[in-house]
Amino acid sequence: MDGLIAVGIILLVGGIGGYVSNKINLPAVTGYIIFGLFIGPSFLNILTDVRLEEFSPFNSFALGIIAITIGYELKYDRLRQLKSQVLKSFLVESLFTVIITTLLVYILGLELRLAVLLGILAMTTSPTGVMAVLKEYNATGLFQELQYPS
């Protein structure tokens, strides 16, 4: 499959996924992920593993743009004002994620050292999906206040 056709398929399927997701009152990101799963190697295999590897530079580029956009919108003065709240939230959520994931995976039968590794990996997910949902729904709260103080 030609690279340009693959890009077209990704854009078309992503657009449809976002549209369908919005129609059933879910964030567009949910549709992107679900529809991407269906065209990927796990289901329909329209885009093979080899083809997906070719998109690695585009993935890095897109994540870079998203990260810069998030950084650009953060307000340092507001972040400084809320530093204790942000620090507490970060520590509690991070520790909670590591502990719960580790315990669940260990209970399901994985050895402890691998369960701990998966717990740590669960904590290190990218915030881009969360930020996309917050923007899409004009959510309010601590993270939005860091970007758009009232």
Side-chain angles (χ1 to χ4, degrees):
M1 177 185 315
D2 183 53
L4 195 54
I5 293 172
V7 169
I9 289 171
I10 290 171
L11 292 174
L12 179 67
V13 170
I16 293 169
Y19 178 79
V20 169
S21 225
N22 283 329
K23 285 295 183 186
I24 57 174
N25 295 321
L26 290 173
V29 173
T30 305
Y32 303 152
I33 292 170
I34 292 170
F35 278 61
L37 180 67
F38 282 117
I39 67 169
S42 297
F43 286 96
L44 299 177
N45 201 26
I46 294 171
L47 298 175
T48 63
D49 287 335
V50 175
R51 175 64 57 196
L52 294 176
E53 285 297 318
E54 293 175 15
F55 285 102
S56 181
F58 295 108
N59 292 341
S60 298
F61 181 70
L63 286 173
I65 288 174
I66 293 167
I68 287 171
T69 303
I70 291 170
Y72 173 77
E73 292 178 357
L74 285 174
K75 306 296 181 216
Y76 180 72
D77 292 337
R78 190 66 178 142
L79 185 60
R80 217 169 32 140
Q81 291 172 354
L82 297 170
K83 70 181 172 188
S84 65
Q85 284 180 289
V86 170
L87 185 60
K88 286 177 194 172
S89 175
F90 170 74
L91 288 175
V92 169
E93 289 180 22
S94 297
L95 290 174
F96 184 75
T97 300
V98 170
I99 291 168
I100 294 299
T101 304
T102 300
L103 284 174
L104 286 175
V105 172
Y106 182 69
I107 289 170
L108 292 173
L110 205 60
E111 59 182 276
L112 183 60
R113 63 188 176 128
L114 290 176
V116 170
L117 178 64
L118 286 176
I120 292 169
L121 287 173
M123 179 185 67
T124 62
T125 59
S126 170
T128 55
V130 173
M131 296 305 291
V133 172
L134 289 176
K135 276 190 168 214
E136 184 175 340
Y137 284 95
N138 294 320
T140 58
L142 180 61
F143 288 115
Q144 285 303 92
E145 281 189 34
L146 292 175
Q147 292 181 332
Y148 310 107
S150 46

